Amino acid sequence: TPETCCDLRLGPTGNIACWFGVFTFEACCPLHTVAPAERSAASCWVGDFTASQCCDLRYGARGNSVCWNAEFTYESCCADRLPSIRMVERIVDALRSGVDTRFPGDVSKE
């Protein structure tokens, strides 16, 4: 199936165990041979990988690192969440410099 054979997280030509004779990555996975810049973020989600699993910022500033490789990145697959990265990086920078990042009225313990 395309989910098994065309998954680019397994390598640049998907699952190499699938290819023999006329069954090639190029012939069987035409949607995956499009240049990365021309793909939509929807093409990032194959198999068990989902936007909610991979783009979740609870894993870190760039989501769940197990989801990403040279072709699939947080930046290309979670573009709608990029402002969150900038906000997290600003907060981290502020914390490193000792700036108080609490919201006005925050009464949490120091």
Side-chain angles (χ1 to χ4, degrees):
T1 67
E3 291 80 21
T4 301
C5 294
C6 301
D7 187 346
L8 294 173
R9 288 174 177 82
L10 300 173
T13 57
N15 184 347
I16 60 171
C18 294
W19 314 130
F20 56 93
V22 297
F23 299 103
T24 65
F25 177 78
E26 292 75 18
C28 298
C29 306
L31 295 177
H32 294 81
T33 58
V34 176
E38 297 174 21
R39 282 192 215 129
S40 69
S43 68
C44 295
W45 317 124
V46 292
D48 293 332
F49 294 95
T50 64
S52 60
Q53 173 198 28
C54 294
C55 300
D56 190 335
L57 294 176
R58 289 179 288 181
Y59 291 103
R62 286 187 166 71
N64 190 341
S65 63
V66 300
C67 298
W68 315 128
N69 61 24
E71 183 165 1
F72 294 101
T73 66
Y74 181 88
E75 289 75 12
S76 64
C77 295
C78 305
D80 60 324
R81 299 173 189 229
L82 286 176
S84 297
I85 288 176
R86 290 187 201 103
M87 182 182 357
V88 169
E89 289 172 343
R90 274 188 248 142
I91 291 170
V92 168
D93 289 344
L95 289 171
R96 286 183 181 147
S97 67
V99 172
D100 185 353
T101 58
R102 292 177 294 168
F103 292 102
D106 184 356
V107 291
S108 61
K109 295 180 180 180
E110 294 185 2

